[in-house]
Amino acid sequence: MGGDFGVSVSVPAVRRALFLCPDLRIFLTGGSAISDALRKSRLSGDPRVTVVEADSEIESDSDPIDDLKNSAGTSMRAAVELVKSGKAGACVSGGNTGALVAISRYLLRTLSGVEHPALVTCIPSLGNSSGRSVMLDLGANLHSSERDLVEYARFGSLYAHHILKISEPNVKILNVGTEFSKGRKEIRAAAEELSSDSSVRFTGFMEGSELFSSDADVIVTDGFSGNIALKTAEGFARTLFKSHSGRSPIAKLMSLPLKWLLGRRLRIFSPDRYNGAALLGLSGIVVKSHGAAGVEAFANSILAARDLVRSGIMPALIKSTAEPSN
Amino acid sequence: MGGDFGVSVSVPAVRRALFLCPDLRIFLTGGSAISDALRKSRLSGDPRVTVVEADSEIESDSDPIDDLKNSAGTSMRAAVELVKSGKAGACVSGGNTGALVAISRYLLRTLSGVEHPALVTCIPSLGNSSGRSVMLDLGANLHSSERDLVEYARFGSLYAHHILKISEPNVKILNVGTEFSKGRKEIRAAAEELSSDSSVRFTGFMEGSELFSSDADVIVTDGFSGNIALKTAEGFARTLFKSHSGRSPIAKLMSLPLKWLLGRRLRIFSPDRYNGAALLGLSGIVVKSHGAAGVEAFANSILAARDLVRSGIMPALIKSTAEPSN
């Protein structure tokens, strides 16, 4: 039910995901709008799709703490409960991020020793051989302590290892400078701790300017700055695409091939391609889709959830949090 | 002496600034390299240029507190001392930002009631009529309290008023969402205080995606996120420009007009055009140039310093900090 477009995106996205991975089984949680949307997408009666009725929904602009208190009977809570009961391998939601984090933490519990689960996704990178960097946290936590940042580095390494199949992922922390004296105290402390952590290949700081071109396989950041950085790049691309070259007919004509070529190039960096951020640090898999995702982007987040289930990252996370590092 | 290129950029930039504004008078502080550079730029003997000898320099990767302790005799300190003594109207530096903030705070002192001076500059915007947004803080402070953010909003409004000549500037705070429930506690508290502050026209939150397209005349952010956001946009533009469309000769040929047109469009967003961030909240004017600035960009920061001196913003800042708001 979540996201900016509700079932008009999520149900066609389910159809697309089932087309690409015919062996998926999908639960849809929510109200009567689902049955109508299933009919329109010619999915009624498909044995791979099960509807789980839920009366109400979480609002997009509400407070996460209130959401948690009033979450009984909501479609979001019903989806996370399916993961808790073991009926579903993962939950995908396009709804309110704060509420999803709060409900998932409450129902699924954090793994042993984990204080703050983190949202992680892959962004395109031109600087390393896989063409992608794992980035976290993307907004599960607005503040990150030294301990959180160290944990993100470990989670990110496991993600890069299990999802991108990189044997010794190179980890960097996003900062306002690359020298060790630069940045917030908790960042400098995390860097020092990671330098002597044998489970992580930490290679230093990076600046915002290298976000899409560094050799880092894993980019560690607090959720606030991470959210602002990714959204800035997204908005900049859109602004660049829309900005006028001039008002004369010649300038307008010349801007046509630019728009076409720029559109092709920007597609590499489209957030739709890396939609689906995993919430790591819980006893189950939860994936957050961008609220404004279209059908293809939402389908990508369903496929991301499937990849996470199959990757073996959950047993690795449980093992890594159970035994102390160093 | 500062910045990535030292006198090989700063001295030709002085020449350019003097060409554009023949009535400027400029002090250059530093070692013997200056005289050589002046000769090369055919500025030796120019009565508008005065060299003030300084034996040493601040390193680019040192700790600001150590820098302050050991700053006696450095070119950076000599430049700020010229402002303190009233010989110069403003100081421009391309050196270590942390050291410049520490030395300026120590010598020039903050204005009455100001805790944390902020770095402010104009960025391009396609969303408002002036085509520019005033953005602060850009890295003077790595953490910002509620009180800091409210102060930034007031400083930014004065800057927009005196430099961009906007009568009632529209102020927004950069956040991870636009709803009032979103974001860090200090941001929500600052928003509440600004909503009842008659000296500022506060219109709510904005996200990173709107950085270059919102209608905000003033964008308020903590220095850490602000630095990361601007550098991300800068790096993204560069990455986009460099990324390959493909390897075939046709793709390469097709990418030529794209590069040309993209280069033209990116020029609007080039950080060189808005180089020169003012440190506001002190009893004198200090301007920070980007360390990687070329001649034109560095000259722009000299012109920005001149505009600040002539704008009448200093008396306005002194008046605004002397009398309590609301």
Side-chain angles (χ1 to χ4, degrees), chain A residues 101-176:
Chain A
V101 172
I103 292 173
S104 302
R105 274 194 72 139
Y106 176 71
L107 288 179
L108 299 178
R109 303 284 166 183
T110 53
L111 292 173
S112 155
V114 173
E115 255 186 300
H116 294 115
L119 274 169
V120 51
T121 197
C122 287
I123 64 166
S125 172
L126 302 180
N128 63 27
S129 54
S130 73
R132 290 188 282 177
S133 300
V134 174
M135 186 168 169
L136 76 170
D137 171 43
L138 296 174
N141 315 298
L142 296 176
H143 293 276
S144 301
S145 66
E146 171 193 351
R147 183 173 159 189
D148 292 330
L149 295 169
V150 169
E151 208 147 71
Y152 300 167
R154 291 183 191 147
F155 288 171
S157 293
L158 287 175
Y159 190 98
H161 184 74
H162 286 272
I163 302 290
L164 301 183
K165 310 296 175 200
I166 297 166
S167 57
E168 287 194 4
N170 163 6
V171 178
K172 285 193 158 78
I173 302 182
L174 188 62
N175 197 358
V176 295

Side-chain angles (χ1 to χ4, degrees), chain B residues 29 52 74-84 88 90-93:
Chain B
T29 62
V52 175
T74 61
S75 52
M76 190 185 278
R77 179 154 175 161
V80 180
E81 271 166 353
L82 287 167
V83 178
K84 186 186 162 113
C91 152
V92 178
S93 170

Side-chain angles (χ1 to χ4, degrees), chain A residues 179, chain B residues 1-9 60 94-95 288-293 298:
Chain A
E179 300 91 356
Chain B
M1 309 300 288
D4 299 353
F5 312 108
V7 293
S8 67
V9 157
S60 71
K288 171 67 174 72
S289 162
H290 201 301
F298 200 101

Side-chain angles (χ1 to χ4, degrees), chain A residues 6 19 27 83 91-92 94 98-99 133 146 216-217 227 252 271 280 299 312:
Chain A
F19 172 75
F27 293 95
V83 177
C91 151
V92 178
S133 300
E146 171 193 351
D217 300 309
N227 175 298
K252 277 188 183 161
L280 294 187

